[in-house]
Amino acid sequence: MGSLEVERKTIGWAARDPSGVLSPYTYTLRDTAPEDIFIKITCCGICHTDIHQIKNDLGASNYPMVPGHEVVGEVVEIGTDVTRFKVGDCVGVGTIVGCCKNCRPCNADVEQYCNKKIWSYNDVYTDGKPTQGGFSSSMVVDQKFAVKIPDGMAPEQAAPLLCAGVTVYSPLTHFGLSKIAGLKGGILGLGGVGHMGVKLAKAMGHHVTVISSSDKKKEEAMDHLGADAYLVSSDTTQMQEAADSLDYIIDTVPVNHPLEPYLSLLKLDGKLILMGVINTPLQFISPMVMLGRKAITGSFIGSIKETEEMLAFCNEKEITSSIEVVKMDYINKAFERLEKNDVRYRFVVDVSGSKLDQEE
């Protein structure tokens, strides 16, 4: 079809203030361009970061805000210069919808580290209009920031992979861990990102230990997700016995927590990889790092290239997300439950089945 020349309205569910309560909201999609695709949204995953944004936990929220950055939908129109997709394709859109395309990260195909990246919501696009996310009936996106969902992969299964999946996949590959079978890895925190960490690390041939503050999730971790070991961080004896045993730890905890207990678990040259968005300082004493040449590092989502690789890997290894599908009118309850960690392990909103276009 031809280029997208006119603005159009869509309906989403938006937060209006830091209460974080979402309700129906009609808005105009941004101006489109020849390289844009117009997507009818099928489903969208709910990420813990969405809570930070709708509640202004990071102090930079703008309202009204339609959250959602694990978006899967069908291409219904393409611009005149679109070459990567065709009408009818099932595509995914993640956290980023724009970048400068000229800086070192952009030139290295790690555009998520571009200082001028544009977030898929709670940001301003190049035309000066606010970006809005995937809890809506449709969206317009530059073809560069969409990925094709592999044939045979269910949309609701693909959605969490666009954030939770690639967030784990990226550091495992970047730091060279994915190519070394038999490594001993730890997954700290068993939520949406953590459960994908277990599945991906296992598929890479690693021995995986889930680390949690209690034994409540032991059966799930071992029997359902396939972890090799389970470590209760509040059990001093267990922690002492596990000292110097792990090559890496993927730390997915999104709230302030001490780092020293987990640094002690790492072997020589071990890496503690931070992934949780935390808005208060973390602390550790330097000998905990120095005396084992250990590294504390971070990783942020993944690039489009990494997302494509991750989707292919998950498709090949038949890795799926553990999800609970809900309708849009349940979204506020879903956020309440997510704050209490009451989901196994990712909510996905059935957008197309929620009939948003009939709400107003």
Side-chain angles (χ1 to χ4, degrees), residues 35 67 96 128 134 149 180 213 218 225 235 268 277 301 310 312 340-341 354:
E35 293 208 1
I96 306 297
I149 303 301
I180 308 175
S213 58
K218 183 174 182 178
L225 298 179
D235 186 322
L268 175 67
V277 177
I301 54 168
M310 176 273 308
K340 299 173 185 174
N341 203 25
S354 299

Side-chain angles (χ1 to χ4, degrees), residues 207-230:
H207 179 284
V208 179
T209 298
V210 168
I211 309 166
S212 190
S213 58
S214 73
D215 61 5
K216 290 179 183 177
K217 297 182 181 179
K218 183 174 182 178
E219 182 179 345
E220 296 170 37
M222 304 282 286
D223 298 343
H224 300 297
L225 298 179
D228 299 288
Y230 190 91

Side-chain angles (χ1 to χ4, degrees), residues 81-102:
D81 294 343
V82 171
T83 57
R84 299 185 65 223
F85 305 102
K86 64 182 185 300
V87 171
D89 281 350
C90 183
V91 300
V93 179
T95 310
I96 306 297
V97 295
C99 65
C100 79
K101 302 182 181 179
N102 292 313

Side-chain angles (χ1 to χ4, degrees), residues 291-303:
L291 296 178
R293 203 164 57 194
K294 300 171 185 180
I296 299 173
T297 187
S299 182
F300 176 63
I301 54 168
S303 65

